[in-house]
Amino acid sequence: DTGVSQDPRHKITKRGQNVTFRCDPISEHNRLYWYRQTLGQGPEFLTYFQNEAQLEKSRLLSDRFSAERPKGSFSTLEIQRTEQGDSAMYLCASSLAGTSGREGHEQYFGPGTRLTVT
Amino acid sequence: AQSVTQLDSQVPVFEEAPVELRCNYSSSVSVYLFWYVQYPNQGLQLLLKYLSGSTLVKGINGFEAEFNKSQTSFHLRKPSVHISDTAEYFCAVTINQAGTALIFGKGTTLSVSS
């Protein structure tokens, strides 16, 4: 179990550019989440996958944001035409769905990708 | 909808002193509760969780929390803190439905000094 990994750890981009982040979940986990964390705030939910299906998107996920999880393994989060307000830490988490109702609620987080839009 | 309120944004304490970080939640349905810790420039690490059963739950690094349904609280405690406990602590809630997102509080900065 190598944990959740994210790449890159830091990204600086100019306003208007596109950026893409990658998340590799814990290998046997079938659920994958993306959150955004701004300075002084707790993480806020963006979107969630079960296997390759994107099952939920928050209102924070504007049309400029798109996420994919091909083959139900790693996931990518792309932001098009970045704005200064997109500057934040983007966190990925994964969990394992089980047959018991109590399983799958613990989410394990990666180290995050810090995006700075200049 | 669920919400989480962390009542203290900053808690300064001296090393070896006890500490309590307060968390209240709001929900019309049953919830699961979590505490996460975040060290500078790192992701979140799960400290402990309440899913059901005993209302006193023990986690890693000597932390424990007590679920109080009548007061809708889930306060985090440690009897004796160390310098290394200095970090941001987040309380989170999710409803009793698999796959739903965590709702986080704004966090409490615990600063431990000698």
Side-chain angles (χ1 to χ4, degrees), chain A residues 84-101:
Chain A
Q84 287 188 323
D86 297 331
S87 295
M89 174 81 88
Y90 290 84
L91 293 164
C92 176
S94 68
S95 69
L96 176 63
T99 54
S100 163

Side-chain angles (χ1 to χ4, degrees), chain A residues 5-96:
Chain A
S5 61
Q6 293 186 245
D7 183 67
R9 293 292 306 276
H10 303 274
K11 178 70 176 179
I12 300 174
T13 190
K14 293 185 186 300
R15 185 164 50 102
Q17 297 295 305
N18 299 343
V19 294
T20 299
F21 309 141
R22 177 180 169 123
C23 170
D24 287 89
I26 293 171
S27 58
E28 68 269 23
H29 284 187
N30 51 6
R31 293 192 183 130
L32 187 148
Y33 303 78
W34 285 99
Y35 292 83
R36 183 177 72 182
Q37 184 180 21
T38 53
L39 199 61
Q41 302 294 318
E44 296 172 292
F45 170 72
L46 292 178
T47 189
Y48 145 65
F49 291 84
Q50 175 142 339
N51 300 313
E52 65 275 9
Q54 188 173 18
L55 297 185
E56 190 176 348
K57 292 193 280 189
S58 99
R59 291 172 295 176
L60 291 176
L61 209 69
S62 76
D63 292 345
R64 296 185 296 106
F65 287 69
S66 63
E68 294 183 341
R69 193 184 182 197
K71 303 178 184 178
S73 56
F74 71 93
S75 175
T76 58
L77 177 68
E78 181 183 17
I79 309 174
Q80 295 182 327
R81 306 181 303 283
T82 52
E83 302 172 356
Q84 287 188 323
D86 297 331
S87 295
M89 174 81 88
Y90 290 84
L91 293 164
C92 176
S94 68
S95 69
L96 176 63

Side-chain angles (χ1 to χ4, degrees), chain A residues 35 37 102 105-107, chain B residues 32 36 38 41 49 52 102:
Chain A
Y35 292 83
Q37 184 180 21
R102 298 195 190 98
H105 295 280
E106 300 166 49
Q107 296 181 23
Chain B
Y32 297 144
Y36 283 85
Q38 186 176 35
N41 298 314
K49 64 189 178 192
S52 67
L102 291 169

Side-chain angles (χ1 to χ4, degrees), chain B:
Chain B
Q2 295 73 46
S3 67
V4 176
T5 302
Q6 292 186 242
L7 298 161
D8 306 293
S9 59
Q10 297 190 15
V11 174
V13 294
F14 287 109
E15 195 173 19
E16 298 183 6
V19 70
E20 179 180 80
L21 306 183
R22 297 180 293 167
C23 172
N24 284 91
Y25 69 92
S26 173
S27 177
S28 57
V29 298
S30 296
V31 296
Y32 297 144
L33 294 153
F34 305 84
W35 276 98
Y36 283 85
V37 61
Q38 186 176 35
Y39 299 101
N41 298 314
Q42 294 187 26
L44 281 72
Q45 180 182 7
L46 180 65
L47 270 180
L48 48 76
K49 64 189 178 192
Y50 173 78
L51 303 182
S52 67
S54 172
T55 56
L56 182 64
V57 292
K58 294 189 182 297
I60 62 172
N61 301 340
F63 284 93
E64 63 181 32
E66 186 158 17
F67 170 58
N68 187 319
K69 189 174 182 179
S70 63
Q71 297 187 3
T72 61
S73 68
F74 190 54
H75 300 334
L76 181 70
R77 302 186 184 100
K78 186 169 183 178
S80 175
V81 295
H82 303 290
I83 297 283
S84 59
D85 292 323
T86 295
E88 190 83 11
Y89 291 79
F90 292 96
C91 181
V93 63
T94 188
I95 64 173
N96 186 359
Q97 179 179 327
T100 52
L102 291 169
I103 307 299
F104 286 87
K106 291 188 176 182
T108 297
T109 301
L110 175 64
S111 300
V112 182
S113 56
S114 57

